[in-house]
Amino acid sequence: MGTMSIDLDIALAAELDPIVDVAASLDLNPENIIPFGWTKAKVPIDVLDAAAQNATPGRLILVTAMSPTPAGEGKTTTSIGLTDGLNELAKTNPEIGRAVLALREPSMGPVFGMKGGAAGGGYAQVVPMEDINLHFTGDFAAIAAANNLAATMLDNHIHHGNELDVDPRRIHIRRVVDLNDRALRNVTIGLGGLNGGVPREDHFDIVVASEVMAVFCLATSVADLKERLGRIVVAHSRDRKPITVSDIGAAGALTALLRDALAPNLVQTLEHTPAFIHGGPFANIAHGCNSLLATKAALTLGDWVVTEAGFGADLGAEKFLDIKCRAAGIWPSAVVVVATLRALKYHGGVEVADVQTPNTEAVIEGMSNLVHHCTNLRDIFGLTPVVCVNRFPSDTDEEMAAALDHLHGLGIAAVESTHWADGGTGAVPLAEAVVEAAESAGDGDAAQRARYSYELDAPLEDKIRTIAQRIYGAADVDIPAKVRRKLKQFADEGYGDLPICVAKTQYSLSTDPTLRGAPTGHIIAVRDVRLSAGAGFVVVIAGDIMTMPGLPKEPSALKIDVTEDGDITGLF
Amino acid sequence: MGTMSIDLDIALAAELDPIVDVAASLDLNPENIIPFGWTKAKVPIDVLDAAAQNATPGRLILVTAMSPTPAGEGKTTTSIGLTDGLNELAKTNPEIGRAVLALREPSMGPVFGMKGGAAGGGYAQVVPMEDINLHFTGDFAAIAAANNLAATMLDNHIHHGNELDVDPRRIHIRRVVDLNDRALRNVTIGLGGLNGGVPREDHFDIVVASEVMAVFCLATSVADLKERLGRIVVAHSRDRKPITVSDIGAAGALTALLRDALAPNLVQTLEHTPAFIHGGPFANIAHGCNSLLATKAALTLGDWVVTEAGFGADLGAEKFLDIKCRAAGIWPSAVVVVATLRALKYHGGVEVADVQTPNTEAVIEGMSNLVHHCTNLRDIFGLTPVVCVNRFPSDTDEEMAAALDHLHGLGIAAVESTHWADGGTGAVPLAEAVVEAAESAGDGDAAQRARYSYELDAPLEDKIRTIAQRIYGAADVDIPAKVRRKLKQFADEGYGDLPICVAKTQYSLSTDPTLRGAPTGHIIAVRDVRLSAGAGFVVVIAGDIMTMPGLPKEPSALKIDVTEDGDITGLF
């Protein structure tokens, strides 16, 4: 959503509340938080645990989206705007209570690459924007260090005699950096003779693609973090036995590196709404949402919690519900499905270059995609969807009215929202629709309201087929024999009951990024499967997955600078 | 100096003062510091600049050492003990004023490797020990990110058409991690065809070996940091023109990544003495001392500043004086030369396995090494050396008395010190000797008292010869024709006036690590020279230099753990 430097200018002009005041607004004793400067803090896990003892959990609102265009439809901005909008609503209706935000931390890769930062945009931002987009509180550096220590210890084990009989051709852990570094996608390491270790092919990933990141985001405590880290399968031996982080003796050291990072980070929106920004796993080979501990912290401390899941609802929302909510015992009270007229036109057959040209017919044509996601959420997961159409300057009133009318005609709640331009007040209609949807869902126990798209005790292959057919509208899945054997091996090793984490294109409900709208009769071709034993899911790869992005010819880094007064410029 | 877990046990049992109180003890307004938790903080550069306006700089005490044994002689512990000892002395003699410590930040490589942490030991430690030894305030992560972004942008430039005509065989910048990762010493990157960039040979270094680290430690302001970063030569073109960080458009982004890290970190000793711990360049291919900004901060805020330089006095002290003090316009009032009876016996011909056996004769025999360092400091640099003999349990009173008598007979101040066991009170005799030495030096202007071992306007080759002959006691240097041509090239490119940074073994005054004592008549064979245009020195390589350590068969990481209560154990 970022427009060059406007976001940073707005962020820098903002007057932030001291973070102790933000903590106090959540009834957190300022002395119990861990400050990082005066506008960022971590909230210790034991403080959160104590607060949870006496708290009624808030209502959880998930923000997801229709299948996006490459420009993105503004989920993060909507999440921020909605939270501010709920608090705006509470000013006139105190019964609403207080809303808290729970988002992912940005990776530095896109900041220096093409996409820019991920702290929202316009008047819907979390601040301090430049801190959040750069090192923030050091979580990603800690995750990278932990991941890389495991990789180093594994290669060191091989170098010093390889007692575990690690097969250098069957190493799964990859080193990571938090940059888009194309040249590290495919490398050979261990060269240079005796002094350089044992040669082998290797690959670097961006830190958000690591299993350590996924583990970090699903851990429920430091003890659980250590157990999950220990379970990560880093390699197989020559006789095909899994070799874990525990086997190489690294679980304790990795936990030591991550212990402090595991406490959720607290910042604020431009409107001083408390925001937990913590963890940021990829939405393809991982589950794509912020840390479970941060979401639980927000539910403990807030009456409303707005959170976001990556990519479109077929990927992000499905994983959020089937993986994270199932693991955490939480369940949303409503789901916001973000759409734009641009994306609707794109799914209605308009080319990207023409999506700003008024075309009401294409808007309606593209509804098939948006409605498919909404229907999934309602009929499969039992949730009430609220469509949020983010307003852009090129949108016409006629197109907008046609879009909203169409959805209303299908019985789907839908509003237009202008939080980018107007902040929380621009999202009040959205907030009202969300409150209404949540109230219709009732306040029953989360575990009782939960309806998953598949049951864990089904065979792995059946779970994959169920997701493909129910969520993607596919006719079937195509799983090659080699992949079937791997699934059987996972089941034999005791991992058959894990949930599924699909990695496929976000641009289509199918695995073909050019298939727009709501395709039917398509086949989901599974290329490979990977075990994430620490995170606790089986990754199903159905398409190109990118685990190390590259920089464009003119990366954003070229425009980033520091003035003589020490101000950062060019960040967006 | 670390003994397994004793250091951590002592550190964890310590009651720390809130960091705002430590800041207040330096007359820093608590609201003007940037807290990182409650016991660590950064002090903003503008706050330090303002304080410097009205301040009389304190007296600077350099802690260096005789040529060390692999066990280390305890420079860090002595620096901490001496600072606490000066403050102990001030309790009965308030005219002494207050003492402040300025040390390097530890690298995580040794923490997980063999050597352990670098936050002192016993009752002479800086705390919170486990934070300082792990991520601390994120400086090293920021330096790694900045360094790696430059490397990524260079490879990206080559990938996207290579307008600057970068020669892939002449790339100087290396990617870094803050781990001992042997397998990354020699790698090939850019493999995998079009999608993977341009293939080339590459090498990873540990972060402390990067020029970005050296630049960080010599920068005087954010603006100076940006200029120095921009000058780093990352590669040469095919027609042998230098290509800098500025040329690839990365200076601004690197500065943005380092801006916040550049503010010095404030912590405390076990005895609540303020300690600036900031920056940590290698003592071989860089200058091996903490950041110039931190040293200046300490001089602004303290009446006495104790700081340390890496390795023995031939390397660390020489570079501290000829490079850092010259750049900063500062000069010590006295120099502490750390020795141990073990090291004296080693230089007296005793094997490492036998240095704990009483042997007064060998102690006296090994004096040649210690005295050579002291004489250099006195006669070349005009400083008053104070020898500190760190007491170990296996030392006999007879050996200790003989050592001190020998030095006193030569007119060299020398005391025994027990700060490891006793904290500041154990270093009071050392503190008294240091005060006496400093008072004899007088309080003249630092720039006027400064005497360097060579002048900057001499030819590069002459400067190298001067160091070899004056400091190392060598007969001459041997510089191959190929290296001479490189020196000529550096001079032609305008770098002839830079100081020299020698990389050689720390175990001998010569370049042969087995030559003990004070060898004479030896030749310093120069293998290679490298330009560090951003840091502002020419590195002269005269021996094996290690820029990426490896892990031992049983790395310390295996013993590090986190208890159920969340406490880190096994760190030393």
Side-chain angles (χ1 to χ4, degrees):
Chain A
M1 282 297 283
T3 306
M4 180 63 71
S5 283
I6 290 179
D7 295 349
L8 180 58
D9 290 346
I10 293 171
L12 289 177
E15 290 223 359
L16 277 65
D17 279 347
I19 198 65
V20 289
D21 292 356
V22 177
S25 79
L26 294 172
D27 304 325
L28 288 172
N29 184 337
E31 287 166 24
N32 281 348
I33 66 171
I34 304 165
F36 280 68
W38 299 107
T39 56
K40 307 176 298 253
K42 280 187 171 282
V43 184
I45 295 170
D46 55 355
V47 170
L48 293 167
D49 287 346
Q53 296 296 316
N54 309 311
T56 308
R59 285 168 168 167
L60 181 62
I61 309 299
L62 173 67
V63 175
T64 182
M66 64 184 295
S67 301
T69 65
E73 311 323 311
K75 280 195 307 291
T76 304
T77 307
T78 301
S79 303
I80 298 167
L82 170 58
T83 323
D84 283 339
L86 285 163
N87 283 330
E88 190 65 33
L89 208 56
K91 286 181 188 167
T92 52
N93 183 358
E95 277 179 30
I96 297 282
R98 67 183 168 212
V100 176
L101 184 63
L103 290 181
R104 286 170 289 176
E105 299 181 57
S107 162
M108 289 201 290
V111 169
F112 294 110
M114 193 153 52
K115 205 182 159 206
Y123 288 91
Q125 290 192 56
V126 281
V127 282
M129 179 269 218
E130 70 277 35
D131 296 37
I132 294 169
N133 276 320
L134 296 175
H135 310 287
F136 200 21
T137 59
D139 294 340
F140 283 20
I143 290 165
N147 177 91
N148 291 348
L149 179 61
T152 303
M153 288 175 72
L154 181 67
D155 277 306
N156 191 58
H157 176 89
I158 298 171
H159 174 77
H160 284 294
N162 198 7
E163 273 177 46
L164 292 169
D165 198 26
V166 176
D167 187 340
R169 305 163 306 176
R170 291 192 177 97
I171 291 178
H172 314 304
I173 191 163
R174 297 171 165 199
R175 288 167 177 81
V176 296
V177 290
D178 192 20
L179 288 172
N180 293 359
D181 196 346
R182 177 189 298 103
L184 297 183
R185 281 179 184 157
N186 304 291
V187 300
T188 50
I189 66 169
L191 304 177
L194 197 60
N195 199 31
V198 177
R200 66 180 180 88
E201 184 181 349
D202 203 5
H203 311 272
F204 281 67
D205 285 341
I206 192 161
V207 65
V208 290
S210 65
E211 188 177 350
V212 174
M213 174 64 87
V215 161
F216 182 88
C217 289
L218 288 167
T220 55
S221 65
V222 172
D224 181 52
L225 174 71
K226 187 166 125 184
E227 278 182 29
R228 285 172 179 270
L229 290 169
R231 286 200 296 265
I232 294 175
V233 177
V234 293
H236 274 77
S237 65
R238 285 199 158 259
D239 56 358
R240 305 205 184 182
K241 287 197 192 111
I243 294 168
T244 65
V245 164
S246 279
D247 293 333
I248 60 168
L254 266 61
T255 309
L257 277 168
L258 292 170
R259 182 194 64 170
D260 294 345
L262 194 64
N265 304 305
L266 181 64
V267 288
Q268 64 194 288
T269 70
L270 289 173
E271 302 182 6
H272 315 300
T273 292
F276 285 98
I277 314 270
H278 195 228
F282 251 21
N284 51 27
I285 67 155
H287 57 296
C289 27
N290 69 294
S291 80
L292 189 153
L293 279 168
T295 304
K296 286 209 153 184
L299 286 168
T300 293
L301 302 169
D303 300 301
W304 297 85
V305 173
V306 179
T307 193
E308 178 197 352
F311 293 162
D314 52 332
L315 287 161
E318 186 274 314
K319 294 178 192 180
F320 177 84
L321 298 164
D322 281 326
I323 298 176
K324 178 173 169 174
C325 287
R326 181 150 31 193
I330 57 177
W331 198 252
S333 295
V335 181
V336 173
V337 184
V338 174
T340 57
L341 297 181
R342 309 184 306 191
L344 287 165
K345 283 184 259 187
Y346 173 79
H347 281 284
V350 173
E351 290 317 302
V352 170
D354 300 325
V355 291
Q356 298 196 34
T357 308
N359 188 338
T360 303
E361 200 180 328
V363 167
I364 301 303
E365 187 69 25
M367 280 288 171
S368 61
N369 181 274
L370 174 58
V371 171
H372 184 100
H373 289 295
C374 292
T375 310
N376 279 352
L377 292 163
R378 191 185 61 199
D379 297 347
I380 300 172
F381 297 104
L383 293 164
T384 307
V386 177
V387 171
C388 168
V389 186
N390 281 333
R391 182 88 194 213
F392 279 75
S394 63
D395 296 346
T396 65
D397 290 343
E398 187 199 324
E399 292 172 303
M400 183 63 76
L404 298 178
D405 283 351
H406 183 91
L407 291 163
H408 295 158
L410 296 170
I412 298 172
V415 295
E416 156 184 10
S417 200
T418 63
H419 42 266
W420 193 95
D422 302 323
T425 55
V428 164
L430 174 62
E432 287 171 333
V434 163
V435 170
E436 193 182 321
E439 283 176 352
S440 77
D443 281 327
D445 180 65
Q448 287 191 316
R449 286 187 289 116
R451 282 165 54 187
Y452 307 109
S453 81
Y454 57 86
E455 294 307 315
L456 292 182
D457 57 7
L460 289 168
E461 194 179 318
D462 291 2
K463 289 188 270 200
I464 300 168
R465 182 173 294 105
T466 300
I467 294 171
Q469 293 177 335
R470 297 191 77 185
I471 306 289
Y472 312 149
D476 202 353
V477 290
D478 174 21
I479 306 180
K482 187 181 162 191
V483 174
R484 271 176 223 268
R485 281 198 296 275
K486 278 179 88 169
L487 289 173
K488 182 176 179 307
Q489 186 196 333
F490 296 163
D492 291 346
E493 287 172 0
Y495 302 113
D497 284 347
L498 291 183
I500 302 297
C501 180
V502 178
K504 72 164 188 71
T505 180
Q506 71 263 41
Y507 298 121
S508 171
L509 278 155
S510 74
T511 51
D512 176 356
T514 67
L515 270 187
R516 308 182 194 182
T520 54
H522 54 102
I523 304 290
I524 301 296
V526 175
R527 288 196 191 173
D528 197 8
V529 290
R530 286 187 199 167
L531 177 65
S532 288
F537 48 67
V538 171
V539 179
V540 171
I541 296 167
D544 292 321
I545 58 158
M546 170 66 75
T547 55
M548 173 57 92
L551 291 175
K553 184 164 185 179
E554 300 281 340
S556 304
L558 295 174
K559 301 191 188 77
I560 294 172
D561 204 352
V562 179
T563 66
E564 280 189 21
D565 294 335
D567 291 328
I568 292 175
T569 58
L571 208 61
F572 72 100
Chain B
M1 284 295 283
T3 306
M4 181 63 70
S5 282
I6 289 179
D7 295 349
L8 181 58
D9 291 346
I10 293 171
L12 289 178
E15 291 223 359
L16 277 66
D17 279 347
I19 198 65
V20 289
D21 292 356
V22 177
S25 79
L26 294 172
D27 303 325
L28 287 172
N29 184 336
E31 286 165 25
N32 281 347
I33 66 170
I34 304 165
F36 279 69
W38 299 106
T39 56
K40 307 176 298 251
K42 281 187 172 282
V43 185
I45 296 169
D46 55 355
V47 169
L48 293 167
D49 286 346
Q53 296 295 318
N54 310 310
T56 308
R59 286 169 167 164
L60 182 62
I61 310 298
L62 173 66
V63 175
T64 181
M66 65 183 294
S67 301
T69 64
E73 312 322 311
K75 280 196 305 290
T76 303
T77 307
T78 301
S79 302
I80 298 166
L82 170 58
T83 322
D84 283 338
L86 285 163
N87 282 331
E88 190 65 35
L89 208 56
K91 287 181 188 167
T92 51
N93 185 358
E95 278 180 30
I96 297 283
R98 66 183 171 213
V100 176
L101 184 63
L103 290 180
R104 285 169 290 177
E105 300 180 57
S107 162
M108 289 201 291
V111 169
F112 295 111
M114 193 153 53
K115 206 181 159 206
Y123 287 92
Q125 291 192 57
V126 281
V127 282
M129 179 268 219
E130 70 278 33
D131 296 37
I132 294 169
N133 276 319
L134 296 175
H135 310 287
F136 200 20
T137 58
D139 294 340
F140 283 20
I143 291 165
N147 176 91
N148 291 349
L149 179 61
T152 303
M153 287 175 74
L154 181 68
D155 277 306
N156 190 59
H157 176 89
I158 298 171
H159 174 77
H160 284 295
N162 198 7
E163 274 178 43
L164 292 168
D165 197 26
V166 176
D167 187 340
R169 305 162 308 175
R170 291 192 176 96
I171 291 178
H172 314 305
I173 191 164
R174 297 170 166 201
R175 287 167 177 81
V176 297
V177 291
D178 193 20
L179 288 172
N180 292 358
D181 196 346
R182 178 189 298 103
L184 297 183
R185 280 179 184 157
N186 304 291
V187 300
T188 49
I189 65 168
L191 304 178
L194 197 61
N195 199 32
V198 178
R200 66 180 181 88
E201 184 181 348
D202 203 4
H203 312 272
F204 280 66
D205 285 341
I206 193 161
V207 65
V208 290
S210 65
E211 187 177 351
V212 175
M213 174 64 87
V215 160
F216 182 88
C217 290
L218 288 167
T220 55
S221 65
V222 172
D224 181 52
L225 174 71
K226 186 166 126 184
E227 279 183 27
R228 286 173 179 270
L229 289 169
R231 286 200 296 265
I232 294 175
V233 177
V234 292
H236 274 78
S237 65
R238 284 198 159 260
D239 55 357
R240 304 207 184 182
K241 286 197 192 113
I243 294 167
T244 65
V245 164
S246 278
D247 292 334
I248 59 169
L254 266 60
T255 309
L257 278 168
L258 292 170
R259 182 194 64 170
D260 295 345
L262 194 64
N265 304 304
L266 181 64
V267 289
Q268 63 192 290
T269 70
L270 289 173
E271 302 182 6
H272 314 300
T273 292
F276 285 99
I277 315 270
H278 194 227
F282 251 21
N284 51 27
I285 66 155
H287 57 295
C289 26
N290 69 294
S291 79
L292 188 155
L293 279 169
T295 304
K296 286 209 154 184
L299 286 168
T300 292
L301 301 169
D303 300 301
W304 296 85
V305 173
V306 180
T307 193
E308 177 197 351
F311 293 164
D314 52 332
L315 287 161
E318 186 273 314
K319 295 178 192 180
F320 178 84
L321 298 164
D322 282 325
I323 298 175
K324 178 173 170 174
C325 286
R326 180 148 33 192
I330 58 177
W331 198 251
S333 296
V335 181
V336 173
V337 183
V338 174
T340 58
L341 297 181
R342 310 184 305 191
L344 288 165
K345 284 183 260 188
Y346 173 80
H347 282 283
V350 172
E351 290 317 303
V352 170
D354 299 326
V355 292
Q356 298 196 34
T357 309
N359 187 338
T360 304
E361 200 179 329
V363 166
I364 301 303
E365 188 69 25
M367 279 288 170
S368 61
N369 181 274
L370 175 58
V371 171
H372 184 100
H373 289 295
C374 291
T375 311
N376 279 354
L377 292 164
R378 190 185 61 200
D379 298 347
I380 299 172
F381 296 103
L383 294 164
T384 307
V386 176
V387 171
C388 169
V389 186
N390 280 334
R391 182 88 194 212
F392 279 75
S394 63
D395 297 345
T396 66
D397 289 344
E398 188 200 322
E399 292 172 300
M400 184 62 77
L404 298 178
D405 284 350
H406 183 90
L407 291 163
H408 295 158
L410 296 170
I412 298 172
V415 295
E416 156 185 8
S417 200
T418 63
H419 42 267
W420 193 94
D422 303 322
T425 55
V428 164
L430 174 62
E432 287 172 332
V434 163
V435 170
E436 194 181 321
E439 283 176 351
S440 77
D443 280 327
D445 181 64
Q448 288 191 315
R449 286 186 290 116
R451 281 165 55 188
Y452 307 110
S453 80
Y454 57 87
E455 294 307 315
L456 292 183
D457 56 7
L460 289 167
E461 193 179 318
D462 291 2
K463 290 188 269 200
I464 300 168
R465 183 173 294 104
T466 300
I467 294 171
Q469 293 177 335
R470 296 190 78 184
I471 306 289
Y472 311 150
D476 203 351
V477 289
D478 174 21
I479 306 180
K482 185 181 162 192
V483 175
R484 271 176 223 269
R485 280 197 298 275
K486 278 180 88 169
L487 288 173
K488 181 174 179 309
Q489 186 197 332
F490 295 163
D492 291 346
E493 288 172 357
Y495 302 112
D497 284 347
L498 291 183
I500 302 297
C501 180
V502 179
K504 72 164 187 72
T505 179
Q506 71 264 41
Y507 297 121
S508 171
L509 279 155
S510 75
T511 51
D512 175 356
T514 67
L515 270 188
R516 308 182 195 182
T520 53
H522 55 104
I523 305 290
I524 302 295
V526 175
R527 289 194 190 174
D528 197 7
V529 289
R530 285 188 200 167
L531 176 65
S532 288
F537 48 68
V538 171
V539 179
V540 171
I541 296 167
D544 291 321
I545 59 157
M546 171 65 75
T547 54
M548 173 55 94
L551 291 175
K553 184 163 184 180
E554 300 282 338
S556 304
L558 295 174
K559 302 190 187 76
I560 294 172
D561 205 351
V562 179
T563 67
E564 280 189 21
D565 295 335
D567 293 327
I568 292 175
T569 58
L571 209 60
F572 72 101

